[in-house]
Every structure is written in structure tokens, then in C-alpha cells.
Amino acid sequence: MRLVQGRVRSRILIGPLAGFACLLVLLGVLAAVTGLDVPGWVTGVVSGAGLAVLLARAMVHHGRDGLGPADRVTLTRAILACVVAALTADSFGGRAPVAVLVVLSTIALVLDNVDGRVARRTGTVSAFGARFDMEVDAFLIMVLSVYVARTTGWWVLAIGAARYLYVAAGWVWPWLRGSLPPRYWAKVVAAIQGITLTVAAAGFLPDVVTTVVVLIALGLLTESFGHDVWGLWRQAGRPHFTRATVTSALAVLLVWVALIVPDHTSNLFLRIPLEGLLFVVLVCVLPSRLAWVLAVIVGLLAGVLLILRLLDRGFYFAFDRAFHPVYDGAYAGSALSLLGDSIGRVGALAVFVAAGVLCVALLVLLPLSALRVARLVASHRRRTIRIVAVLAAISLVPTLTGIWPVRELASASTVRLATQVRDDLRDQREFTQALEQDRFRDTPGNQLLNGLKGKDVLLVFVESYGRTALDSPVVGSALEAGDRRLQQAGFSSRSGFLTSPTFGGISWLAHSTLQSGLWVDSQQRYDHLVTLDRVTLTGAFGRAGWRTVADVPSNDEDWSVGKTYYHYDMVYDRRNVGYAGPSFSYASMPDQYTLAAFQRLELDKPNRGPVMAEIDLVSSHTPWAPLPRLVDWSQVGDGSVFDPMPAEGDSPEDVWRQPERVKAAYAQSIAYSLDALTSFVQQLHDPNLVLVVLGDHQPASIVSGNGASHDVPISIIAADPAITARAATWGWPLGLRPSPDAPIWPMNTFRDRFLTTYSQ
């Protein structure tokens, strides 16, 4: 009897082992002909071994002692699917032979129509053969969906995962494991998935057409599975989904979403979080009380990390940097003020309240959801272990073979949070050491800025004037027109680039970096800097005998730093320049009025000494709408001439509905600021005027795009050729528009270069 059982087992193993051996031979031939890297070999061997083991188990379960004619055809298809999987894994590390992959998958799809006919003609139709055929179809579709997802989008993985999610759902709801009469349409839909994905993998259709075709295939697949689910639900007597079932499903969904929401480094939502699987395993092995405590802790941590990831994405969108938990909370007041200028204070408060409610809700709901999941796991331990094993395999195999990067296995937010806090503390120590070094601390006033004696020097920041603006034809035309105006007025200019410490906003970091000669890239550094007495550009001019002035037109309250740190003799803001006109979103007054008022209040004074001023032009501040238009300088008056202009321009709501309109509005705002500035110089007729004009930072990524530099244009403008001649030693080319190969300096190096050049 034992001898007979041994012979039966041996006969069962012949088919699976023969298939595995054929796969190894095929992989070897493929490696010799086209080349096959380690990820491809590993994927092929693991897939083949899994095929052999699962096939042998299925044969034992169905009482089969060998493979029939149709089963051998299906086994051939399975071997080809394993080879396609190997080529797919290889494609993530290099260029896989697409033609070979397409040919092999096409052969596998053609053979799908053969094994059924062979089974019917030989009278060997069986439940085993039908299940074997279906699982091979599902595996091939999953592999092809992974290959196509690289170029079409990760949403395509939904096609490959559909069958396996359906099976997993059957472990939770047993009625899904029922059987329905065979449907020819279901077979057609499965064939459509394979054909569509193969065509998409071939890549001979336009991208848009490929996307549409794959979307249609996904829609058909959704309909087919929906039909089966509906039929099984009715067949099972329409089982009632209890409130507990719905609550548990929502809890699982919330915890899963909290774990997979990516940070700024990734857009991959469709992943199986390894930390979630680890949590489930720990709940299975820990005593109940410890498991409940763990669930609450995990829920709170997931809530904190989810909020951190959302803040990270927001900060990278707005400022192209991560959120710093140590000190970025200080920006809340500034953000509220900025949002209020854009959408109104009531709207801004509503947004902040909604954000606060969301944070509190996450910190409450996630621990409750994690606790619900833990109790669900504890009551279905054996079934949970099976699900975890399958999900772990789905998650680990693509990562080990190079299909997904290792960092996609689990969220890196925990590690980043800990390391960032450590780095922030170390950064502050390094900044304190840099503060102690100041080469101009003890330089007397009579040795400073002698090359600018008798000149009025204006340091003009054009809000959001970044390198990105130079790509716009509108801005290019404004720069050309500005060069013509300056030449007609007897002025010349030279231009280069500076790298700003900030991006998209937080302008005061750029201002303090330029003025202090230190890299001020955080609120923490800024807050420390302004408590000290470091020499700024303003301070150097004041020490050398200039009257120093700040003009910050959007400030509506006292700016203590202007007096205590920058030591301005006079600070102008929206309250003391006599403006009686309308505001333009954030901009309390048009740039033209800012410049006209400065001329009236400072430059037109009789018997005055030289003036050094920092002037902020804010008409180009987000939301870049509505925009004013230039009027004749003699008509500026108290600004009431601008009264009808806000209603004539676009509203922020209309502009921000479409990214392209946002970019156009940004370019128009920069062009307006440049036109206002060069027109101001032309009408002023002051041969002793010197201007340093620069941007404070690049605009937000909706305009600059992802991965944009932090570079901003900078120009020095003067009527005295000796002034621009000194700037020629910096390598800056002539004109307001810096050439693409113009020098790029870190913004913190400008102070020392400027003081050195013009103090000699």
C-alpha cells in the first residue's frame, strides 16, 4: 500500500517538476540570447517554484495522479507567464527586450484558446483544469499590469490585483466563495484584459489611446466582477451587512489609507504597508490587553505621521522643502494672514478651523480604528495569518526583485521625523558658530561703500521673481522693454543669479540672508539672528552716512525688527504713505504707487543726503490676481485712480481653477512689476540713482514645477558707468536678463561681495 502511495506521489510530482525544469531551460536560453539580470532570474525561479508547489497541492486536493493533455497546454502557458514575470522584473532595472515579452505573452494568450478545446475533444474537462486555467490567466494579467503600470500609471495594477482581492474578500465573507454557472462573457472579459495589456506593453499606440483602452478594459473587468458579486450575494439569500461589518470595513480602510498616503518623495498609493502587516502579526501573538494597548499607540502614531505627511506635501508644494516640526509651527500666524489677504479673513479662519478639526478627528479616529482592527484580528487569527502571508508575498516579492523600491515597503516618516528633529537641533548649533564670524563687524564707516558715495541706493525685492519667470515670453518682453527704457534714460545694467534659501514664500528669510551674509533658511535661524547685532547691508550704509529707509507696503502693524535689527531710520508701510485706493488681493497697493510714494516722501525732499532703501514690490505676490495697470505718473496721486481696476481684472477664484491660468497670471504680475520699476527710473531722471533689483524666491511649484531650482535673477542698475563697471568683475553680463550661463551665487555671499567691491 505504501509503495502504491509513493508511486502516486511520484507521478504527481512529474508534471510540476518537468514544468519547473523547462522553465529553467527557457530562462537560460533567454539569458544567453538577450541577457537576464539577477532580478529576472530571482523572479523567474521564485515564480516557477511557486507554480510547482501550488500545482502539486492542487493535484493532490483534486485526486489527480497526472496531467491530462489540456493541463499540459495550460502548464506551458504558466511557464510562459513565469518568463514574462522575469522579463517584467528585469525591466525595472534596465531595458528588457519588449519584443520578446510581447511575443511570449501573445503565445500564452493564444494557447488560452487551445487548452479548452483540447479538454473538450479529449473528454478531459474537469474542475481542476478550469481552476488551473483561471489561475494562470490571473497570474499573467497581474504580471502584464505591473509592466504596463510603469508607463501608464500605477492605477493599472487594479486590473492585476482584482482576482486576488476577490479571493481575499472571500476569506472575510464566505458567501463570495460560492459558485455560479459558467459565463462566456466572463471568459471574453478575461481575454480582453490580457490582449489589452499586451498591446499596451508593446507601446505602438499613442499614450492617450493606450490610457483610454486600458481604462475601458478596467471598466469591463469591474462590471464582470460586479456581476459575479451580485449573483453570489443573491444566491446566498442576500446576506445582511450589519453595522458592525460596515464599521470594521471602514476601520480597516482608514488604517490602511493612513499607512499608505505617501510623503513628497512618492506618488505610489497602491502598496501593502509592511508596518501594517507587522502590527497584525503582533496582535495575533500578543496577549489581548497588550494587543489593545499596542493598537491605541499604533493608531496615535499613525495619526501623527499622517498629519506630518500631509504637512510635508503641503510644504513641498508651497516651499519645496519638508515640514520642520521643531519650528515651522511659527508660520501659522503668517499663513493665516496670507490666506486672509487672498480669500478673506473669514474664509481663512474657516480653513484653519477645518484643518484643526481634521487633525483632531485623525488623532481620535485612528486609535479607535486600530483598536477595532485589533479586535477583528484577534477573533479571526487563523484566517488573518493566511491573509497576511499572501499580502506579505505580494509586497515582498516585487521589492526583492527590484520592481518596487525598498522604501515603498514601509513609511519612512517615523525615521525622517526622528532624524529631522536631530538635524534641526544640530543646525542651530552650526548657525550659532557661523554668527561669530563677521569680517565687517569692526570696519569703520569711512572705509565702507566709498564707491557709492553720493548715490541713492535702492535695494528692490520683486516678490516671487524667480528664474522660472525668464521662461515666459511676457516677462521676456517686459525685460526687453525695460532695457530700452533704461538706455533712453542713460542707465545700464548687469545681471546674474542668486540661490535663495526659500521657495514659494517666507520672503523674510531671503531678505535676512541677503542683508546678513548668513544662510537663513528657517524661522528658527531667523528668530535667533534678529536678536543679535550683526552687520547688515542696511547697517553698513547707515554706518557710512546714508539715511536708511524700509518700504514694506503690505505691513499693517509696527515692524519691531526693522528698528531693533536692521536699524532703519524710517519704516513705511500701508498706514503711513497716504494711500486711498483699493487693495489687490495680498497687495495693499500697486507697485507703481509704492514707488511714487517713496519718491514723494524721500527722493523729492530738498537739501537731503543720500538715501539707502529696501523696497518690497508685492504686486507679484500670490495669488497674482487681480492686477493693476500702469497709469501716467502724474496721475498717481493718492491712489484713487486705481479704484476701478480690481473689478476689471481676473479674480483669484477664476485664475486658480486652471494651472495654466495661474502660470499666465504669475507671468503678467512679474511683467507689471518690472514695467513699473523701469518706468519709475525713466521718469525720475536721477543720474545718482543705483538700484539692486532681485527676486526673493521662486514661485510655488504650481508655476515653477517639481524639482525647480531656487535661483532668482539679480540686476544692478546705474547711470554712472563706473558702478556697473565694478560689477563686470563679477562676471555678470549686460542687460536686465541674465544669460543662462551667468554666475550663480548663494544669496548669503552677496553681502560680502557687494561690500568688498564698493568699499575699495
Side-chain angles (χ1 to χ4, degrees):
M1 183 68 180
R2 292 180 180 176
L3 181 61
V4 172
Q5 290 178 346
R7 289 177 179 175
V8 170
R9 291 195 188 98
S10 299
R11 291 183 62 186
I12 289 174
L13 293 175
I14 289 175
L17 290 178
F20 185 62
C22 290
L23 173 63
L24 293 178
V25 172
L26 192 54
L27 290 174
V29 172
L30 195 63
V33 175
T34 65
L36 196 63
D37 291 335
V38 173
W41 271 104
V42 172
T43 302
V45 171
V46 170
S47 300
L51 168 65
V53 171
L54 293 175
L55 180 58
R57 287 191 59 185
M59 292 174 67
V60 171
H61 177 74
H62 286 271
R64 302 289 296 269
D65 59 355
L67 297 175
D71 301 329
R72 296 189 186 97
V73 176
T74 307
L75 178 60
T76 302
R77 294 177 51 235
I79 293 170
L80 293 175
C82 291
V83 176
V84 173
L87 291 173
T88 298
D90 243 18
S91 69
F92 284 82
R95 186 173 179 82
V98 179
V100 176
L101 183 147
V102 171
V103 168
L104 292 178
S105 61
T106 301
I107 294 173
L109 291 173
V110 171
L111 290 177
D112 187 25
N113 192 42
V114 174
D115 51 8
R117 293 186 179 185
V118 171
R120 288 189 292 271
R121 288 190 177 184
T122 58
T124 55
V125 175
S126 65
F128 166 80
R131 180 67 180 271
F132 188 17
D133 177 63
M134 181 175 59
E135 297 300 341
V136 171
D137 285 344
F139 180 70
L140 180 60
I141 289 172
M142 184 191 70
V143 170
L144 289 174
S145 71
V146 171
Y147 184 86
V148 175
R150 298 175 316 125
T151 54
T152 304
W154 289 105
W155 57 269
V156 180
L157 290 176
I159 294 177
R163 162 67 182 164
Y164 301 99
L165 292 175
Y166 182 79
V167 172
W171 295 341
V172 179
W173 296 294
W175 54 269
L176 283 173
R177 299 200 295 269
S179 59
L180 292 171
R183 283 192 309 128
Y184 179 73
W185 175 243
K187 187 74 173 176
V188 171
V189 170
I192 288 174
Q193 306 307 308
I195 294 170
T196 300
L197 292 173
T198 300
V199 171
F204 58 79
L205 292 177
D207 291 343
V208 175
V209 176
T210 298
T211 300
V212 171
V213 170
V214 176
L215 278 171
I216 292 173
L218 177 59
L220 293 174
L221 186 66
T222 303
E223 183 278 331
S224 181
F225 273 105
H227 183 280
D228 286 352
V229 170
W230 176 256
L232 290 170
W233 182 67
R234 295 185 62 185
Q235 179 177 281
R238 301 186 178 186
H240 181 62
F241 287 96
T242 64
R243 180 181 299 179
T245 301
V246 174
T247 303
S248 297
L250 291 175
V252 172
L253 180 63
L254 181 59
V255 173
W256 178 64
V257 169
L259 294 175
I260 67 169
V261 169
D263 60 15
H264 70 278
T265 62
S266 172
N267 290 315
L268 183 59
F269 278 89
L270 290 174
R271 71 176 180 89
I272 299 170
L274 191 61
E275 63 267 45
L277 300 182
L278 179 61
F279 164 64
V280 170
V281 171
L282 288 176
V283 170
C284 287
V285 300
L286 287 175
S288 296
R289 290 186 178 179
L290 286 179
W292 307 157
V293 172
L294 173 67
V296 173
I297 294 173
V298 168
L300 282 171
L301 183 60
V304 171
L305 295 180
L306 176 58
I307 293 170
L308 177 64
R309 285 197 293 271
L310 294 175
L311 286 170
D312 250 0
R313 294 184 74 87
F315 265 67
Y316 266 92
F317 174 80
F319 308 128
D320 194 36
R321 69 167 179 83
F323 173 75
H324 291 266
V326 172
Y327 49 77
D328 275 347
Y331 295 133
S334 299
L336 178 61
S337 176
L338 173 60
L339 199 58
D341 289 325
S342 299
I343 65 174
R345 188 160 185 82
V346 174
L349 285 172
V351 170
F352 266 64
V353 169
V357 169
L358 175 62
C359 291
V360 172
L362 290 174
L363 294 177
V364 172
L365 290 176
L366 275 166
L368 292 176
S369 297
L371 192 58
R372 183 87 182 188
V373 171
R375 289 173 176 164
L376 184 66
V377 167
S379 60
H380 301 86
R381 294 179 188 271
R382 181 174 298 179
R383 189 179 300 170
T384 299
I385 291 298
R386 291 172 60 190
I387 295 175
V388 167
V390 172
L391 294 179
I394 295 174
S395 177
L396 288 171
V397 171
T399 303
L400 295 176
T401 55
I403 294 176
W404 288 349
V406 174
R407 64 180 176 82
E408 298 296 355
L409 276 175
S411 169
S413 296
T414 307
V415 177
R416 192 193 66 74
L417 176 62
T419 56
Q420 188 166 293
V421 170
R422 179 200 64 195
D423 292 344
D424 288 345
L425 296 175
R426 183 179 61 192
D427 176 78
Q428 188 61 19
R429 292 194 298 268
E430 293 174 351
F431 187 63
T432 301
Q433 295 172 359
L435 279 168
E436 298 173 357
Q437 304 171 8
D438 187 354
R439 57 179 293 197
F440 293 99
R441 178 185 294 120
D442 301 320
T443 304
N446 59 9
Q447 296 180 21
L448 287 171
L449 301 163
N450 293 313
L452 294 171
K453 288 295 183 183
K455 307 294 184 184
D456 293 321
V457 180
L458 308 184
L459 178 61
V460 182
F461 279 97
V462 179
E463 175 67 38
S464 300
Y465 180 29
R467 187 167 190 158
T468 296
L470 302 181
D471 297 331
S472 167
V474 174
V475 174
S477 298
L479 291 170
E480 292 175 3
D483 277 328
R484 289 193 296 270
R485 291 192 191 102
L486 294 178
Q487 290 171 9
Q488 291 169 5
F491 283 73
S492 62
S493 60
R494 288 185 177 273
S495 302
F497 290 106
L498 299 180
T499 300
S500 174
T502 184
F503 184 100
I506 321 178
S507 305
W508 56 92
L509 302 185
H511 296 195
S512 57
T513 293
L514 188 94
Q515 288 256 21
S516 70
L518 291 171
W519 190 254
V520 186
D521 61 347
S522 68
Q523 188 65 32
Q524 184 180 29
R525 286 191 166 199
Y526 178 84
D527 290 341
H528 189 186
L529 173 66
V530 298
T531 63
L532 305 176
D533 190 22
R534 182 178 175 85
V535 176
T536 61
L537 286 175
T538 299
F541 275 99
R543 187 185 297 180
W546 270 262
R547 170 177 166 81
T548 58
V549 176
D551 196 338
V552 282
S554 286
N555 275 17
D556 58 1
E557 56 187 27
D558 292 341
W559 182 36
S560 60
V561 171
K563 293 289 188 180
T564 61
Y565 176 68
Y566 289 109
H567 305 295
Y568 288 115
D569 297 316
M570 181 64 191
V571 175
Y572 295 108
D573 56 34
R574 70 168 67 182
R575 301 169 301 173
N576 59 4
V577 293
Y579 184 64
S583 61
F584 292 79
S585 293
Y586 174 86
S588 60
M589 62 193 72
D591 290 343
Q592 186 177 14
Y593 185 87
T594 299
L595 295 168
F598 176 77
Q599 177 181 344
R600 170 171 48 84
L601 295 168
E602 290 291 336
L603 299 183
D604 287 348
K605 285 181 178 179
N607 304 317
R608 63 173 178 81
V611 174
M612 181 272 173
E614 179 187 320
I615 301 176
D616 300 342
L617 300 185
V618 295
S619 290
S620 54
H621 193 288
T622 182
W624 306 306
L627 278 177
R629 63 178 184 275
L630 290 179
V631 299
D632 188 275
W633 288 91
S634 63
Q635 298 177 1
V636 172
D638 64 357
S640 56
V641 68
F642 301 107
D643 281 342
M645 294 185 188
E648 296 170 358
D650 294 327
S651 68
E653 294 78 12
D654 291 337
V655 167
W656 281 77
R657 288 194 182 101
Q658 301 176 20
E660 291 306 316
R661 291 197 66 185
V662 175
K663 294 178 181 179
Y666 163 75
Q668 291 163 2
S669 72
I670 295 294
Y672 166 78
S673 294
L674 294 173
D675 286 341
L677 183 63
T678 55
S679 176
F680 167 75
V681 174
Q682 185 182 35
Q683 63 84 34
L684 188 60
H685 301 296
D686 182 0
N688 289 318
L689 184 66
V690 176
L691 300 95
V692 177
V693 182
L694 72 155
D696 47 10
H697 52 70
Q698 288 263 50
S701 56
I702 191 173
V703 174
S704 296
N706 295 324
S709 73
H710 286 216
D711 298 343
V712 297
I714 180 170
S715 303
I716 186 165
I717 304 169
D720 186 346
I723 304 299
T724 51
R726 292 200 185 202
T729 62
W730 299 342
W732 290 8
L734 290 169
L736 289 176
R737 184 188 187 107
S739 60
D741 57 350
I744 304 172
W745 303 343
M747 191 174 281
N748 61 310
T749 65
F750 180 79
R751 185 202 73 158
D752 288 5
R753 288 177 184 265
F754 185 84
L755 292 178
T756 299
T757 299
Y758 290 102
S759 297
Q760 296 173 348

